[in-house]
Amino acid sequence: MPKQMLTRRLFLTGTLAALCTPSFVMPSHASSRNNYKLAAQKGKASLLEEGNLLTDVWAYNGATPGPVIRVKKGEEINIEVVNQLDQPTSVHWHGIRIDNTMDGVSNLTQEPIPPGGSFIYRFTPPDAGTYWYHPHNRTWEQLARGLYGALVVEGDAATGEFDRDYSIAADDWQLAESGAIREETLGSLRDWAHAGRLGNILTLNGKPYETLEGASGDRVRLRFINTANARIMRFGIKGHEPWLVALDGQPIPPTKLSETGITIAPAQRADLVFDVQGTSGDNVPIVETSGAETLVAGYLNIVEGSNRKIRTATPALKANKLPQPDLANATRLDLLMSGGAMRFLTQATYKGEEVDGRKLARTHRQLWAFNLQAGMADAPLFSAKSGETIVLKLVNETAWPHAIHLHGHHFRVLTKGPRSNGQLNPVLGEEEHAYRDTVLVERDEIIEIAFVADNPGKWMLHCHMLEHQASGMATWFEIV
Ligand code: C2O
Ligand code: CU
C-alpha cells in the first residue's frame, strides 16, 4: 500500500504565493479581552495555490483555523461556543490542565451541544504555552473539515524577548482538483484500519504558502501545532538551526535542532526559537521534511528592520508548576494497543460483549483495541485517588504508530524500547525533560509514561490519529 503522499508544489513554483502579506488572525467577536465567541459554522477557505478554487469547510467564525485565542496564564477566559452545524459538537482545549467539566468531551464530560445550541466554557489556564482547541464529537470528521484553532497562553517569557511570535497550525487536507474535500474519503474503513486519513495538500494556518515576516536579527518564536487527523509531520527552517524550547506547551531546556527540525505527531506542539538570518526581500522556506522530498510549507519573508547581531544562546522559557511523579510509590498499569491492518483483532470486548474481529469491523466499525477493549466502556480503565502517581506502560502490538493523548494532565516519558526484547531505556534528548500530553508510540515499541493523577473527574486517553480513536483506540479513567 503506497503511503498517501503530500503532493503539493515545491519551492520554485511558489513565488507568487510568497508575495502575499501575512494576516493576523484576531478574535472576530471578542467583546473584551478574555471573552470570546466561537461559532462552529460552514465557511469557505482558500487552501490551494489556485486562489479561485475555494473549499467548503466547517470552521470557527467562518475561518480555518479559527481565531488565535490568546490569554494570560492564570486569567479566566470565557468562550461561548455556538453550534451552527447540522450535527452535535463540543470543544476540547487540548493540553490545558482544566477543570473536568470544561474539558469538552462529548458524552463523557458534557452532553454534546446540539445544532442551534450553545455552551459557555469558562476556565483559567494554569500553564503558559502553546495549546489548541478542536471539536470532541466525531472529531475525525469535524477536525478534518477545518474546525480547529490555536490557544496561546502567555506568561512564559519576558516582554520583548521575542520580536515575532507566531502560531502555526499545520494540516493536511484530502482535496480533489476542484478544491472540494473528497467526501468519499471521510469514514473510509480502509483508512481507519491503516495510518488514518492522510491528506494530499499541506497548509499552514489554512494557507497554501503561509508567509510570516521577520527582519534579519529578529528573534522569532514559532509555535507549531500538528492539527492533522493522522499525519506525522516534521518541520524546520531552511538555513537555520533553531532551538526547541517547548513541547506540548511545556518548556524544556533549549535544544539545538538541525534545519530538518522536529517531528510533530498529530496533536503535538513544538515551539522553536531562532534569530533570522538573511537579507531583506529574501523568503526563508519553512520546510516539511518527513518525506523523501523536502516540501516548502511556507515562508518567512525578511523585511527591513533592526539587523541585530545573531545571538548564540536563548534563555529557557519560564517553567510551569507541574506535579512531580513519585515513582517509588506509583501504581503501574499496562495499556496494550492491538488491531489494525496486518494484525487484525480476532476478538475484543465491545459495549460489554465479546465480539469477533470480523463482526467488530463490519457491524461496529471497530478495528483497534486497548487491553482488548474496543471503544469506550461503561467502566473506566482505572480509577485513581487524587495525588496518586500512575505509570502507564504503552505497549504497541500493532503495525502502526499511534499518538497517545492523555486528557487533563501532562506526563513524563520515562523509558522506551522495542517490544522484541522488552529492553526499556531512559529517554534522552529533547524528551528527557519534557512534560507531554501526547506521545508517539512507534510500531512494536513500548513507552513508559508517568503522571500525577491530581485533577478529579473523568478523563479520556486515546489515540490522536482520529480514525483510530473512532474505531476503537479510546478509553477513559477517573480520579476521585
Ligand atoms: Cu486533542 Cu481527546 O483530544
Ligand atoms: Cu492510533
Side-chain angles (χ1 to χ4, degrees):
M1 199 257 333
K3 193 172 155 196
Q4 181 74 52
M5 299 295 287
L6 283 166
T7 56
R8 54 161 308 170
R9 307 76 172 161
L10 299 177
F11 186 21
L12 286 174
T13 60
T15 43
L16 263 188
L19 296 175
C20 297
T21 48
S23 71
F24 291 89
V25 200
M26 294 300 287
S28 41
H29 301 282
S31 53
S32 83
R33 189 180 152 79
N34 284 347
N35 292 325
Y36 284 80
K37 190 166 171 176
L38 288 179
Q41 58 189 202
K42 296 190 176 167
K44 297 214 181 277
S46 178
L47 305 172
L48 294 172
E49 248 175 300
E50 300 83 353
N52 57 325
L53 297 179
L54 298 182
T55 305
D56 286 315
V57 294
W58 296 358
Y60 291 116
N61 298 353
T64 180
V68 175
I69 295 179
R70 269 192 179 260
V71 63
K72 285 205 169 67
K73 171 174 170 168
E75 262 183 21
E76 189 181 77
I77 180 170
N78 290 279
I79 306 164
E80 184 185 5
V81 174
V82 181
N83 184 5
Q84 295 171 359
L85 306 170
D86 303 328
Q87 59 175 244
T89 192
S90 62
V91 180
H92 172 56
W93 316 94
H94 185 116
I96 302 285
R97 298 187 301 130
I98 205 169
D99 186 272
N100 189 246
T101 57
M102 294 291 130
D103 200 38
V105 178
S106 286
N107 304 312
L108 185 71
T109 66
Q110 70 171 91
E111 291 295 314
I113 310 164
S118 67
F119 188 95
I120 296 177
Y121 292 93
R122 176 174 293 130
F123 58 90
T124 304
D127 303 325
T130 305
Y131 304 92
W132 64 299
Y133 59 94
H134 63 75
H136 221 294
N137 189 51
R138 289 175 68 87
T139 318
W140 58 273
E141 176 181 17
Q142 295 188 4
L143 187 82
R145 289 186 184 275
L147 288 164
Y148 58 79
L151 172 54
V152 172
V153 185
E154 297 171 347
D156 53 10
T159 355
E161 185 162 325
F162 302 113
D163 301 302
R164 315 270 171 170
D165 182 338
Y166 295 109
S167 63
I168 299 182
D171 197 4
D172 64 338
W173 300 77
Q174 183 55 259
L175 302 181
E177 294 274 292
S178 65
I181 291 177
R182 291 180 57 217
E183 300 276 335
E184 69 280 10
T185 65
L186 281 168
S188 147
L189 208 57
R190 192 179 166 286
D191 284 356
W192 290 26
H194 292 79
R197 182 172 177 273
L198 301 174
N200 57 352
I201 295 291
L202 172 65
T203 60
L204 302 183
N205 293 338
K207 301 198 191 81
Y209 289 102
E210 169 65 310
T211 303
L212 310 171
E213 282 185 349
S216 177
D218 275 1
R219 178 146 287 185
V220 176
R221 177 178 188 173
L222 296 185
R223 305 163 181 265
F224 282 97
I225 308 167
N226 183 339
T227 63
N229 275 38
R231 185 179 290 277
I232 300 162
M233 296 190 268
R234 188 175 173 90
F235 288 102
I237 319 298
K238 187 113 180 89
H240 290 69
E241 293 184 343
W243 289 279
L244 176 67
V245 295
L247 287 169
D248 294 355
Q250 305 294 352
I252 60 165
T255 305
K256 266 272 188 204
L257 300 176
S258 75
E259 70 169 15
T260 68
I262 172 89
T263 296
I264 312 173
Q268 290 184 330
R269 285 87 65 214
D271 288 37
L272 271 51
V273 169
F274 60 97
D275 291 345
V276 178
Q277 297 179 54
T279 32
S280 80
D282 284 359
N283 278 316
V284 178
I286 300 168
V287 288
E288 199 288 322
T289 63
S290 68
E293 208 167 5
T294 294
L295 301 179
V296 173
Y299 298 96
L300 184 96
N301 179 239
I302 304 185
V303 295
E304 294 288 345
S306 62
N307 288 310
R308 210 159 357 151
K309 259 188 64 203
I310 307 299
R311 287 159 284 178
T312 51
T314 193
L317 297 174
K318 208 162 129 235
N320 297 305
K321 262 205 199 72
L322 292 162
Q324 300 297 314
D326 172 10
L327 297 177
N329 297 299
T331 300
R332 290 173 183 268
L333 299 156
D334 285 4
L335 189 78
L336 187 69
M337 300 137 78
S338 56
M342 302 193 292
R343 299 179 191 169
F344 279 109
L345 294 170
T346 48
Q347 182 171 307
T349 312
Y350 178 68
K351 297 207 164 141
E353 277 175 50
E354 286 305 303
V355 184
D356 76 78
R358 193 170 275 251
K359 186 166 175 212
L360 273 175
R362 290 196 181 157
T363 313
H364 306 296
R365 301 178 63 85
Q366 296 295 297
L367 304 154
W368 309 86
F370 284 152
N371 294 352
L372 292 178
Q373 160 78 48
M376 298 283 275
D378 287 343
L381 179 74
F382 62 90
S383 190
K385 279 191 296 300
S386 186
E388 196 175 337
T389 291
I390 306 290
V391 173
L392 267 181
K393 190 189 218 182
L394 310 171
V395 182
N396 186 357
E397 282 197 349
T398 79
W400 303 89
H402 302 284
I404 301 298
H405 171 46
L406 178 71
H407 277 226
H409 300 77
H410 274 71
F411 52 80
R412 301 297 302 263
V413 180
L414 301 177
T415 61
K416 283 187 184 195
R419 206 162 64 83
S420 53
N421 63 12
Q423 177 74 53
L424 301 182
N425 297 309
V427 292
L428 297 172
E430 69 262 12
E431 247 166 3
E432 189 183 349
H433 302 285
Y435 284 88
R436 305 214 72 140
D437 58 49
T438 306
V439 66
L440 184 63
V441 191
E442 299 287 357
R443 163 187 186 145
D444 287 316
E445 189 180 37
I446 300 177
I447 294 187
E448 278 186 310
I449 63 170
F451 68 100
V452 181
D454 64 347
N455 195 347
K458 298 176 173 183
W459 302 104
M460 269 194 93
L461 175 66
H462 64 86
C463 181
H464 222 288
M465 274 101 174
L466 300 169
E467 291 73 22
H468 296 171
Q469 176 192 359
S471 57
M473 292 194 126
T475 186
W476 64 285
F477 64 99
E478 94 190 318
I479 301 174
V480 291

